Amino acid sequence: MAPSIASTFIGMFTTNPFTALAEGNMLQIIVFALLFGLALTQSGSAGDKVAQGFQSVNKVIIRLMMMIMQIAPYGVFCLLTVMFAKFGWQGVVKVSGYFVVVPLVLLLQLSVVYSLLLQLLAKINPFTFLRKMYGAMLFAFSVSSSSASIPVVLAAVKEKLGVAQKVAA
């Protein structure tokens, strides 16, 4: 049975944001973040200090992600070594199909879908965009993790595309 509208609305608000984070309750996390952000912007200098604290924490977390991404290739190598030792050439042949198909499909999406969207909706020349975002896109593709690529993409968007910090953040 579906929950009532009232219980759904009440369930949007958490009594403990850390519990919502630990349990992955996205709706409660989003509502809390919106309310916290609203309170932060309306708190004047005290809110500015808290926002600066969050920006400092963000820089530390971005640095941590960059450190992890520097050692990630070694982890991938170890995983592939274990797979090869366990399954031999037959396992490698099966996985190699995946390694061929995924880049081809991503290249198709990039060259057709994204290029059309950039041209039609954003009125941006796709070649200019691709040239400026090449490094960030290559990094995102190589790590296959959107959260790990966020720092690199944000830096490229701000520095190479000229997007304001407030918009990029």
Side-chain angles (χ1 to χ4, degrees), residues 16-25 29:
N16 185 342
F18 298 106
T19 302
L21 285 167
E23 294 174 355
N25 190 331
I29 294 167

Side-chain angles (χ1 to χ4, degrees), residues 54-55 57-63 65-66 129 132-140 145-169:
F54 279 123
Q55 288 173 351
V57 169
N58 185 46
K59 285 182 182 179
V60 171
I61 290 174
I62 286 172
R63 182 65 194 136
M65 290 298 295
M66 296 303 287
F129 178 82
K132 290 183 178 183
M133 294 300 292
Y134 176 76
M137 289 170 34
L138 185 64
F139 181 80
S145 169
S146 57
S147 60
S149 63
I150 287 174
V152 176
V153 172
L154 282 176
V157 164
K158 290 186 288 187
E159 295 166 12
K160 295 184 179 178
L161 292 179
V163 175
Q165 165 64 28
K166 193 171 187 175
V167 174

Side-chain angles (χ1 to χ4, degrees), residues 4-126:
S4 68
I5 293 174
S7 66
T8 301
F9 184 75
I10 291 170
M12 289 172 40
F13 300 93
T14 182
T15 56
N16 185 342
F18 298 106
T19 302
L21 285 167
E23 294 174 355
N25 190 331
M26 291 307 296
L27 186 58
Q28 289 182 350
I29 294 167
I30 291 168
V31 169
F32 176 78
L34 288 171
L35 293 174
F36 189 82
L38 183 63
L40 197 66
T41 59
Q42 294 180 355
S43 296
S45 65
D48 291 341
K49 290 176 186 174
V50 173
Q52 288 173 355
F54 279 123
Q55 288 173 351
S56 297
V57 169
N58 185 46
K59 285 182 182 179
V60 171
I61 290 174
I62 286 172
R63 182 65 194 136
L64 174 64
M65 290 298 295
M66 296 303 287
M67 290 167 46
I68 290 170
M69 293 320 303
Q70 288 175 340
I71 62 169
Y74 300 108
V76 171
F77 175 77
C78 292
L79 288 172
L80 289 174
T81 303
V82 169
M83 187 195 80
F84 185 71
K86 199 177 215 180
F87 299 110
W89 284 105
Q90 295 166 338
V92 173
V93 169
K94 288 179 183 178
V95 173
S96 66
Y98 174 78
F99 286 123
V100 170
V101 170
V102 169
L104 289 175
V105 171
L106 290 174
L107 186 63
L108 179 70
Q109 181 178 7
L110 175 69
S111 61
V112 176
V113 177
Y114 287 165
S115 294
L116 282 172
L117 289 174
L118 283 167
Q119 190 71 43
L120 297 174
L121 298 179
K123 308 287 190 240
I124 297 173
N125 183 332

